[in-house]
């Protein structure tokens, strides 16, 4: 049984329809899915209010901004400095994701840059953050598969 916070099959169908047609109107969605316009509107409002719908800017490819290089940086940091370290990482625009992790690294960062020289500048700035002890950088050669949720939504939509 799903909790009230989980996406149900109708929510999943609405989100998949929006993937296919991001600027679809409520009326278009309701007709396409065979549901009442008020139902489509209420469902979308509830999803938005719960924070299920991410920022539109997450759809933008950083390469369109001239940031064609993607790298992953693992950081070892002093635990006592974690709040300040995290605050400082969030202030760097090229750091597009920060994950607190288990294992050898305390954080895994996804970073975008113009080129390797730009990546070196960004990495140097990260290493200057109080609390950062060590880093390791891996450059992505090619994105084989980007972030996706559609396969999961299709499973939920199918019931």
């Amino acid at each position: 049984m799903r909790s009230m916070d989980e996406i149900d099959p109708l929510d999943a169908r609405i989100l998949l329809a929006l993937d296919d047609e991001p600027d679809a109107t409520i009326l278009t969605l309701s007709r396409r899915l065979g549901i009442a316009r008020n139902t489509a509107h209420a469902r979308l409002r509830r999803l938005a209010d719960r924070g299920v719908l991410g920022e539109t800017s997450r759809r933008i490819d950083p390469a369109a901004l001239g940031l064609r290089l993607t790298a992953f940086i693992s950081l070892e940091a002093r635990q006592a400095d974690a709040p300040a370290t995290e605050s400082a990482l969030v202030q760097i625009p090229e750091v597009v994701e920060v994950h607190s992790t288990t294992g050898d690294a305390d954080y895994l960062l996804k970073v975008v840059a113009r080129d390797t020289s730009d990546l070196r500048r960004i990495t140097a700035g990260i290493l200057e953050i109080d609390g950062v002890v060590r880093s390791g950088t891996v450059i992505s050669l090619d994105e084989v598969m980007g972030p996706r949720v559609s396969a999961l939504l299709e499973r939920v939509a199918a019931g």
Side-chain angles (χ1 to χ4, degrees):
M1 183 172 172
R2 293 188 205 288
S3 78
M4 292 299 289
D5 289 339
E6 288 185 30
I7 291 173
D8 68 17
L10 180 55
D11 291 336
R13 289 177 48 223
I14 291 169
L15 294 170
L16 287 166
L18 284 172
D19 262 0
D20 291 341
E21 193 177 345
D23 57 352
T25 65
I26 298 292
L27 182 59
T28 301
L29 285 173
S30 67
R31 286 180 178 164
R32 181 173 174 186
L33 299 172
I35 60 176
R37 190 174 50 184
N38 287 343
T39 300
H41 183 265
R43 291 290 186 124
L44 276 173
R45 174 63 43 218
R46 192 181 84 235
L47 290 168
D49 290 347
R50 287 181 19 222
V52 171
L53 305 176
E55 300 168 341
T56 302
S57 63
R58 294 187 89 189
R59 294 186 199 172
I60 297 169
D61 182 353
L65 302 171
L67 303 165
R68 290 177 172 74
L69 186 140
T70 299
F72 298 92
I73 300 175
S74 57
L75 292 183
E76 182 182 328
R78 288 189 301 272
Q79 297 299 313
D81 296 326
T85 301
E86 292 169 7
S87 247
L89 290 170
V90 170
Q91 299 305 311
I92 302 170
E94 295 89 352
V95 175
V96 295
E97 289 183 34
V98 177
H99 298 265
S100 177
T101 61
T102 62
D104 294 333
D106 297 303
Y107 297 100
L108 181 62
L109 285 52
K110 182 177 179 182
V111 176
V112 293
R114 289 187 302 279
D115 52 33
T116 54
S117 295
D118 193 32
L119 177 61
R120 188 173 192 182
R121 173 191 63 80
I122 295 162
T123 304
I126 290 169
L127 288 170
E128 290 177 7
I129 296 171
D130 284 337
V132 173
V133 176
R134 183 172 317 148
S135 74
T137 303
V138 177
I139 294 174
S140 171
L141 299 176
D142 188 26
E143 183 178 76
V144 176
M145 183 187 84
R148 70 168 185 174
V149 180
S150 59
L152 300 170
L153 284 172
E154 288 167 0
R155 185 182 337 163
V156 172

